[in-house]
Amino acid sequence: MDFNKSHPVNDKIGLWHLQTEFMAEAERLFGSRDQTKIIYQPSWDIDGPHVRYTPNKDGAFAELGFNAKTDWEMVVYQLAHETVHLLDQHGGKQTHLLEEGAAVRFSLDMMAKYGFDTADLPEIDSYKTALKLFDSLGNDPYLITKELRSICGDFISIDEATLEVKCPELAENIIAELLTNPVMR
């Protein structure tokens, strides 16, 4: 994708293309998304980035921050992160650090894939913690997370018992922290 041709806010086709690329890659790494839910065109919100659910919860879309309207680097960072949350669409229930860490890792990897610098990212301490915890899952945290989602059905259903079986080397306090639901901003 040529990021120099347009501004994201004026390129719905490019934005949607990026969304579909990210979803395909997220499904490859984390397993299939909930096919009963619709993924809509990304949008913008002054309080973004976050996922916005439709009123009847039949689907959702990423709402990116206004700081991404003219910055493809920010779009890649934010949209990749929110794409992980679009896999399961749990209707707005608070995610745990395992899912947040997966989203942070995925966003950094997508930035690198598209040639953007990831030095000094993430900036927010809660995201640094989530990333460190996700990376502590082992040599291939993507594969482990894919297997956990396959066993449990989705991110939000991953529990201590399943984590203990899949990652017996993880300390109990790390497992407990992975499953906490902190505020991420």
Side-chain angles (χ1 to χ4, degrees):
M1 184 165 176
D2 185 354
F3 294 113
N4 295 317
K5 286 187 173 181
S6 66
H7 286 297
V9 71
N10 299 324
D11 191 353
K12 284 187 173 190
I13 293 170
L15 197 58
W16 182 248
H17 178 74
L18 203 56
Q19 175 67 86
T20 59
E21 283 185 17
F22 287 164
M23 186 53 70
E25 185 67 5
E27 286 188 284
R28 185 183 73 75
L29 293 170
F30 296 113
S32 296
R33 71 177 185 85
D34 182 347
Q35 296 293 324
T36 67
K37 305 291 185 178
I38 301 166
I39 296 174
Y40 295 96
Q41 174 77 28
S43 185
W44 314 98
D45 187 76
I46 196 165
D47 295 322
H50 50 246
V51 168
R52 174 82 60 195
Y53 294 91
T54 59
N56 61 0
K57 308 273 193 270
D58 71 337
F61 54 96
E63 283 189 320
L64 307 178
F66 280 7
N67 61 340
K69 282 184 168 187
T70 58
D71 185 346
W72 281 109
E73 182 175 3
M74 288 305 298
V75 167
V76 169
Y77 186 59
Q78 294 178 14
L79 185 59
H81 183 105
E82 299 310 327
T83 296
V84 173
H85 297 313
L86 287 169
L87 286 169
D88 297 328
Q89 295 191 32
H90 46 71
K93 294 178 186 170
Q94 189 174 4
T95 60
H96 47 58
L97 282 174
L98 174 56
E99 183 176 341
E100 289 295 343
V104 173
R105 168 55 55 213
F106 184 72
S107 68
L108 294 174
D109 290 349
M110 291 302 97
M111 286 186 70
K113 176 181 177 176
Y114 287 91
F116 294 113
D117 184 19
T118 61
D120 301 322
L121 291 173
E123 296 174 334
I124 300 169
D125 287 341
S126 56
Y127 288 105
K128 289 177 186 177
T129 299
L131 177 62
K132 182 178 177 184
L133 286 166
F134 178 77
D135 287 345
S136 76
L137 290 176
N139 290 335
D140 192 347
Y142 282 122
L143 179 60
I144 291 167
T145 306
K146 184 176 189 176
E147 292 171 353
L148 288 165
R149 281 186 72 242
S150 176
I151 293 165
C152 297
D154 56 22
F155 274 112
I156 210 160
S157 299
I158 296 170
D159 58 19
E160 281 187 38
T162 309
L163 261 172
E164 287 171 358
V165 169
K166 286 302 298 174
C167 304
E169 70 286 350
L170 283 181
E172 286 181 29
N173 65 316
I174 299 296
I175 290 173
E177 192 172 3
L178 277 161
L179 299 177
T180 60
N181 305 101
V183 175
M184 294 305 294
R185 293 191 183 238

